[in-house]
Amino acid sequence: MDLGSINPILLVASIMVSATPILLAAIGEMVVEKSGVLNLGVEGMMITGAVVGFAVAVNTGSPVLGFAAAALASAVLSLSFGVLTQVFLSNQVATGLGLTLVGLGLSALIGKPYEGMKSPTLPKLDIPLLGDLPVLGRMLFSHDIMVYLSLALVAAVWAFLKFTRAGLILRAVGESHDAAHALGYKVVRIRLMAIFFGGACAGLGGAYLSLVRVPQWTEGMTAGAGWIALAIVVFASWRAGRVLIGAYLFGGVTVLQLNLQAAGARVPVELLSTSPYLITILVLVLISARGIHGAPACLGRPFHASS
Amino acid sequence: MIRLEKRPQPSQLWTVLTPVLAVLLTMLVGGIMFAFLGTDPLEAIRTIFWDPLFNPQFAGFTRPQLLVKAGPLILIAIGLSIGFRAGIWNIGAEGQYIMGAICGAGAGLAFYPADSVLIFPLMILCGALGGFAWAMIPALLKVRFGTNEILVSLMLVYVAENLLASVASNLLRNPEGMGFPGSRNFKQWPAAHNAELISGTGMHWGVAFAFIAVILAYVLMSRHIQGFNIRLTGEAPRAARFAGVNPARIVILCLGISGALAGMAGLFEVTGPAGQISIDFNSGYGFTAIIVAFLGRLHPVGILLAGLLMALTYIGGELAQLMLGVPGAAIQLFQGMLLFFLLATDVFTNFRLSLGRKEPA
Amino acid sequence: MNRRTLFTSVAAATLAATAAFAQTDGEPVKAGFIYVGPIGDGGWTYEHNKARLAVEEEFGDAVETVYQESVPEGADAERAITQMALSGADIIFTTSFGYMDPTIAVAEKFPDVKFEHATGYKRADNVSTYSARFYEGRAIQGHIAGSMTETNKIGYIASFPIPEVIRGINSAYLHAKKVNPDVEFSVVWAYTWFDPAKEADAARALIENGNDVILQHTDSTAPQAAAQEAGNVITFGQASDMAEYAPMPRVSSIIDDWAPYYIDRVKAVMDGTWESTDTWDGIGPGMVGIGEITDAVPAEVKEEALALKESIASGDYHPFTGPINRQDGSVWLAEGETASDGDLLGMDFYVEGLTGEIPN
């Protein structure tokens, strides 16, 4: 065993790349859940983003357009969930599971012609000065733009929820839709917007998988990333900063586990892969034991104005 | 403009009508999709909905298979529906299903190759206990700390999947399996084999238990005081508390029942149709059962029918792949559509469309 | 048990009638394929499907093929195989290890249908097994890898700790060691056959740990892409040629070429000469193909590799020829002794020189 062969600089850099898809999806889902909606269809939206982003990038030659198209496509798909749960008042758990089915099926059909193709990928940014810093340069400042965008998005969501009036309203809707409704806020409209945003984020996360991290399109390539994003939101107890920690922790465990193996260490793979979920449960217990319920009070409950 | 008005009582007519409407809509939209993929839509729909039941070449085999496929879905969904009625959201049935299979199979394998009539009942018991214990984790955490059971039960699915991968390649691995992961095959060990009760019918113990569960759930929910308490807790939690219903007991009861049923379903599956514990013997039944529970409107009889319908789309979908070369993904999409339409049309059961100006709220 | 036998004979009689009818009528032979993944996985299932298309190409109207993709290896497999048999298939290829017990069970009920199970070890009168000696290809990979590594560190992305995978690691290591005594192997167990994101991560982890050759026993091209991004790293295509990554990083590949076997077996059904057999073919009969060795490989290494391929193909050389010790130093094969197939099929140990332990 030679743990010295693990380069911590490269390890951190890898973790950042490996965590970006789940970070993007999780931050979007957090906003959705903050508005009081539980959308279990993240996996379906991510994989739709992955295939649409890839297809558009291949056809236009522009990964940026690919990301934009992925965000739009997944957001539109998420609206089917939005309309069903918000307008037709269907159960959110069942509808979310249905969305996953639809996304997986749809993506495989769209993706058939793109199997085995290569796409243009995002260039690594060459940030002057910062990129030349001795350790931090390689670790933090030599990634592609989406890594920074995902971080900016976390900051933006944090600021939006904490400091803006719109953010306050969104939280109010999630905590008590009846009160928000009584105050004259359009509960359904606000939730639809949150769902749309969550879809767009999941789409970006999926496209990051197919355009940067892997990069290729293969059927079923998200392989459960969407479910991990859901776990991260819970782990984070619905706080933007902790979503970042959670995503890097979940992404980090996989990368670290593989790195330890590569360095020749004997690792209990199953135990390590289980640990983030056990930690999440522990976090849940801790926050609920303190009496502060992290979850938005109306999470998963249907809202109808006349009821 | 069009708006929704809540009906004072769910409409009896629409309860029956919406599934029919949803199936018709799915056939229409699905047909368009099949036409797009270059398959004759009428033939595709006939293959999915008709052939598994009546095609002379297949039906003799696929009709019993409907029961085999629907059995675990119904058994799990019945348990889930009881909790859902009480507003207790166990979405981790997949984990309880896996743990039931592991515990039950493990208990049986400890006695390999003994030949006793007691082995199979013992395995069923351990399967139920395994699922029950796994469901008690979110239950006790909820009772003790108020922890959200949706999230805990979901997290425990991943833990169970990792445990499954571990025992399939270590603890329960078949010592005569040439080093491949996976347990002994229960079909080759009569004492532990969940065989068909009547040959050629698909009826195995799991299906029998599913039918029994439907009847018991029906009695519980409509005739028994606990059933009333459960419904009251779901519909009016405060009233329930005033009526002296202990919420903690309801949580334990609901999660316990659903966990035990899911665990049994897992055990019946590995000792019967699946045959062995392997890394991925679980085919997502725990999640599909949630869909079945809602399609069945959380009513035992509805769940029975929904489970059979779901099984029909699976088996019909397989036939469509086989006979017409429809891609597997199209079938998945088709099922997703069916679910979406059922959920969408469901609104008419509880709400009435009314035309006219919006009244001030 | 008795009731089941009864059902068996009824089903068999029905099917016998159908099958007989099909053949006297001069209808095409129907060949069915059960796949574990989607046909577009670019690896294992993709190659089986390519071979199916080759069968169609070869026999034209005389054959009809059907397939079912993404069939889970549990309860659903037995049903899928049965339905295929009921649909009138004359020969059914079940292309994953996990279909072993279901294949045997269905074969019992359909004595007149021929079954071909890939990579398993259970046979019956109407069930053949077939697999490929991929370790022969691994020997050539090991030779090229050992010759070309500059850091003397070779990374190996393994799927599950089963004999098939362990054989590949041992074979590659022995031949890398032969040309480069300083070579070291890092094995990463991914516990998946197919998860592009995880495979990419595994490849990156290995590259960052100083490995400049990546061998993979997982099916996606993600490790290839990761190596390309890193630059000075070479890789080998797995299961399919992965030629889109040639000439660098992919310098050669092991190709599963099932087409000759499938054509042969379907032909045997047509001629009525099909018999239950156990086939384990390698480079010689063409079941294991070696993809083009690109110009990124130095000419003399390429020549040696081709010579090695030749000698394995002709049977002059067995990749596991003694003296070979086990990892613990005990003797496995004495000087000049070659490994028996039985030893190879159950291989659960590393050879001497490999570090780390096989997880179990």
Side-chain angles (χ1 to χ4, degrees):
Chain A
M1 187 189 340
D2 177 21
L3 293 184
S5 69
I6 297 180
N7 181 338
I9 300 172
L10 295 179
L11 183 66
V12 172
S14 298
I15 290 175
M16 287 178 77
V17 171
S18 138
T20 298
I22 45 179
L23 174 60
L24 283 164
I27 196 73
E29 175 69 12
M30 193 197 83
V31 171
V32 179
E33 291 189 16
K34 271 286 183 192
S35 80
V37 178
L38 180 64
N39 183 354
L40 292 184
V42 185
E43 179 86 0
M45 300 186 294
M46 273 186 97
I47 196 143
T48 304
V51 73
V52 171
F54 190 83
V56 170
V58 165
N59 286 327
T60 63
S62 157
V64 176
L65 275 181
F67 275 103
L72 187 68
S74 299
V76 169
L77 182 70
S78 74
L79 276 190
S80 67
F81 168 88
V83 169
L84 279 172
T85 57
Q86 300 310 307
V87 180
F88 290 93
L89 303 174
S90 67
N91 178 277
Q92 295 177 6
V93 170
T95 315
L97 292 172
L99 184 63
T100 299
L101 269 184
V102 168
L104 288 171
L106 192 64
S107 65
L109 288 184
I110 298 174
K112 275 275 179 268
Y114 297 97
E115 280 158 359
M117 288 176 93
K118 284 210 259 182
S119 85
T121 183
L122 281 181
K124 297 245 188 285
L125 292 186
D126 199 8
I127 307 173
L129 295 177
L130 288 177
D132 300 331
L133 286 175
V135 173
L136 295 178
R138 177 70 189 88
M139 196 193 287
L140 303 176
F141 299 112
S142 57
H143 292 291
D144 56 84
I145 181 99
M146 283 307 291
V147 172
Y148 303 109
L149 196 71
S150 68
L151 295 173
L153 204 58
V154 172
V157 165
W158 172 75
F160 169 79
L161 289 174
K162 194 166 170 77
F163 298 118
T164 68
R165 197 177 146 68
L168 185 69
I169 297 169
L170 181 92
R171 283 189 289 146
V173 167
E175 289 301 333
S176 169
H177 45 222
D178 292 326
H181 176 69
L183 288 169
Y185 295 118
K186 308 276 187 214
V187 174
V188 169
R189 196 174 301 168
I190 290 165
R191 286 187 169 165
L192 281 176
M193 286 194 288
I195 292 167
F196 190 82
F197 175 78
C201 288
L204 286 178
Y208 192 82
L209 270 177
S210 65
L211 288 175
V212 182
R213 187 161 157 228
V214 173
Q216 59 180 226
W217 163 254
T218 26
E219 198 177 324
M221 68 178 297
T222 45
W227 295 99
I228 294 176
L230 279 165
I232 291 169
V233 178
V234 182
F235 168 85
S237 45
W238 297 269
R239 296 199 190 168
R242 293 188 191 167
V243 165
L244 181 68
I245 298 172
Y248 281 24
L249 178 75
F250 275 67
V253 165
T254 313
V255 172
L256 182 69
Q257 181 256 103
L258 293 168
N259 265 284
L260 283 172
Q261 283 200 52
R266 188 173 160 73
V267 279
V269 175
E270 280 99 1
L271 187 68
L272 258 175
S273 342
T274 314
S275 58
Y277 302 109
L278 293 176
I279 297 172
T280 302
I281 294 173
L282 193 69
V283 168
L284 267 176
V285 171
L286 285 178
I287 55 175
S288 44
R290 288 211 320 253
I292 318 157
H293 290 273
C298 285
L299 185 61
R301 295 202 351 230
F303 167 76
H304 183 249
S306 70
S307 59
Chain B
M1 68 176 279
I2 307 170
R3 52 190 300 274
L4 295 171
E5 247 173 51
K6 196 165 174 78
R7 293 177 195 273
Q9 241 149 27
S11 156
Q12 293 274 334
L13 175 68
W14 278 103
T15 309
V16 181
L17 221 53
T18 52
V20 180
L21 185 66
V23 170
L24 288 176
L25 277 171
T26 314
M27 286 182 177
L28 185 72
V29 182
I32 295 171
M33 174 188 77
F34 287 126
F36 233 88
L37 293 169
T39 311
D40 178 358
L42 287 178
E43 213 182 331
I45 285 161
R46 200 205 63 217
T47 309
I48 294 173
F49 289 102
W50 182 265
D51 282 1
L53 293 168
F54 304 111
N55 180 311
Q57 200 175 358
F58 295 106
F61 172 74
T62 47
R63 245 180 272 152
Q65 284 292 315
L66 282 176
L67 290 180
V68 173
K69 191 89 190 168
L73 290 175
I74 295 169
L75 192 55
I76 302 172
I78 287 287
L80 292 178
S81 69
I82 294 172
F84 292 172
R85 282 283 195 90
I88 293 158
W89 304 100
N90 173 11
I91 64 171
E94 182 79 2
Q96 294 138 24
Y97 173 83
I98 292 172
M99 293 310 287
I102 293 177
C103 293
L109 285 172
F111 293 99
Y112 184 86
D115 185 16
S116 158
V117 287
L118 294 175
I119 288 182
F120 194 58
L122 171 80
M123 290 170 77
I124 299 177
L125 184 69
C126 290
L129 279 176
F132 175 83
W134 208 241
M136 274 307 108
I137 300 173
L140 294 176
L141 289 178
K142 185 178 177 75
V143 169
R144 179 72 183 78
F145 302 110
T147 315
N148 185 324
E149 79 282 5
I150 300 183
L151 306 167
V152 176
S153 60
L154 180 64
M155 295 301 113
L156 285 171
V157 174
Y158 307 125
V159 178
E161 280 175 348
N162 277 302
L163 263 170
L164 172 65
S166 171
V167 298
S169 41
N170 300 318
L171 195 58
L172 300 182
R173 184 165 70 175
N174 181 359
E176 288 149 30
M178 307 283 280
F180 283 89
S183 75
R184 285 182 193 280
N185 197 317
F186 293 100
K187 289 181 183 174
Q188 290 147 16
W189 180 24
H193 182 200
N194 173 22
E196 278 178 311
L197 298 172
I198 306 165
S199 172
T201 56
M203 275 295 277
H204 60 68
W205 277 112
V207 181
F209 270 70
F211 284 125
I212 296 170
V214 168
I215 296 165
L216 289 183
Y218 185 83
V219 173
L220 171 73
M221 294 312 280
S222 53
R223 298 275 183 275
H224 196 277
I225 178 71
Q226 284 298 354
F228 173 77
N229 287 345
I230 287 169
R231 278 183 294 144
L232 191 63
T233 307
E235 283 155 26
R238 283 164 61 89
R241 211 160 299 175
F242 288 130
V245 180
N246 179 348
R249 272 185 65 185
I250 296 288
V251 170
I252 303 266
L253 182 73
C254 290
L255 275 163
I257 292 176
S258 56
L261 291 185
M264 278 202 274
L267 183 271
F268 289 130
E269 195 66 11
V270 288
T271 49
Q276 62 175 156
I277 294 267
S278 60
I279 284 175
D280 45 10
F281 86 87
N282 57 315
S283 342
Y285 277 137
F287 287 113
T288 314
I290 298 176
I291 297 174
V292 169
F294 281 103
L295 293 187
R297 307 247 159 62
L298 308 183
H299 187 282
V301 178
I303 288 170
L304 179 69
L305 296 174
L308 290 170
L309 176 68
M310 206 70 199
L312 183 66
T313 64
Y314 272 112
I315 292 175
E318 286 171 4
L319 290 184
Q321 277 196 61
L322 180 64
M323 304 303 286
L324 309 173
V326 175
I331 302 301
Q332 221 171 7
L333 189 55
F334 190 80
Q335 286 178 324
M337 274 184 211
L338 176 63
L339 178 62
F340 270 16
F341 282 123
L342 273 161
L343 291 165
T345 50
D346 201 23
V347 73
F348 300 114
T349 313
N350 293 310
F351 293 86
R352 191 198 319 269
L353 279 184
S354 74
L355 296 164
R357 288 195 59 80
K358 192 176 178 179
E359 305 152 39
Chain C
M1 269 303 178
N2 286 332
R3 289 203 208 99
R4 287 214 306 150
T5 353
L6 177 71
F7 173 59
T8 303
S9 48
V10 171
T14 329
L15 194 100
T18 338
F21 180 72
Q23 254 147 22
T24 50
D25 214 25
E27 282 195 12
V29 163
K30 192 166 179 178
F33 297 80
I34 303 275
Y35 300 139
V36 71
I39 55 174
D41 70 354
W44 181 257
T45 295
Y46 174 79
E47 286 298 323
H48 283 287
N49 194 51
K50 222 166 88 178
R52 176 183 71 87
L53 296 172
V55 169
E56 279 194 341
E57 175 98 343
E58 175 79 17
F59 298 111
D61 289 342
V63 71
E64 185 196 343
T65 68
V66 288
Y67 70 90
Q68 196 161 334
E69 56 181 335
S70 301
V71 177
E73 297 178 328
D76 295 315
E78 191 165 332
R79 185 175 57 249
I81 302 168
T82 308
Q83 282 162 359
M84 203 167 260
L86 284 172
S87 81
D90 302 296
I91 179 166
I92 297 175
F93 296 89
T94 54
T95 64
S96 180
F97 176 77
Y99 300 146
M100 182 163 69
D101 288 342
T103 303
I104 296 289
V106 178
E108 250 174 53
K109 294 184 206 156
F110 295 93
D112 292 327
V113 179
K114 317 298 180 206
F115 293 85
E116 297 269 350
H117 176 239
T119 70
Y121 53 83
K122 292 187 186 168
R123 279 170 292 281
D125 282 346
N126 59 336
V127 183
S128 287
T129 54
Y130 61 100
S131 186
R133 296 179 186 266
F134 298 117
Y135 66 87
E136 295 185 353
R138 292 281 170 201
I140 295 161
Q141 284 188 354
H143 182 87
I144 299 175
S147 310
M148 287 185 71
T149 176
E150 279 165 18
T151 59
N152 291 333
K153 289 174 83 172
I154 293 171
Y156 203 113
I157 305 173
S159 45
F160 291 95
I162 57 174
E164 160 85 51
V165 176
I166 295 166
R167 252 187 336 260
I169 298 172
N170 284 334
S171 173
Y173 176 73
L174 287 171
H175 293 85
K177 180 101 175 165
K178 208 171 265 179
V179 289
N180 181 349
D182 297 327
V183 79
E184 277 175 42
F185 267 42
S186 306
V187 181
V188 168
W189 298 95
Y191 288 94
T192 176
W193 289 107
F194 179 79
D195 178 347
K198 196 168 187 185
E199 291 171 48
D201 281 347
R204 287 201 187 103
L206 285 166
I207 293 167
E208 285 164 12
N209 276 282
N211 298 285
D212 64 350
V213 180
I214 303 292
L215 304 181
Q216 64 178 101
H217 204 140
T218 50
D219 288 345
S220 90
T221 53
Q224 314 277 330
Q228 188 164 46
E229 180 191 288
N232 265 328
V233 175
I234 64 167
T235 59
F236 297 84
Q238 157 71 10
S240 72
D241 198 21
M242 304 189 177
E244 65 268 31
Y245 289 94
M248 268 290 275
R250 172 221 163 274
V251 296
S252 181
S253 59
I254 295 182
I255 306 168
D256 311 355
D257 190 358
W258 307 106
Y261 182 75
Y262 287 179
I263 290 171
D264 195 45
R265 301 306 281 174
V266 172
K267 184 90 178 40
V269 171
M270 286 174 171
D271 300 345
T273 57
W274 191 96
E275 273 179 1
S276 171
T277 53
D278 172 21
T279 304
W280 200 19
D281 278 350
I283 295 177
M287 196 179 266
V288 176
I290 300 298
E292 194 224 336
I293 299 175
T294 66
D295 293 340
V297 178
E300 77 271 15
V301 175
K302 181 173 175 176
E303 224 165 85
E304 289 160 17
L306 290 174
L308 181 61
K309 176 185 164 185
E310 231 17 80
S311 65
I312 294 175
S314 64
D316 291 343
Y317 174 69
H318 191 293
F320 290 104
T321 304
I324 300 174
N325 290 348
R326 295 192 185 84
Q327 190 181 28
D328 58 16
S330 62
V331 176
W332 175 40
L333 296 175
E335 176 83 43
E337 194 185 350
T338 55
S340 69
D341 281 0
D343 266 9
L344 291 178
L345 284 170
M347 188 176 261
D348 58 357
F349 58 88
Y350 279 156
V351 293
E352 192 173 43
L354 277 165
T355 51
E357 284 170 60
I358 300 170
N360 50 42

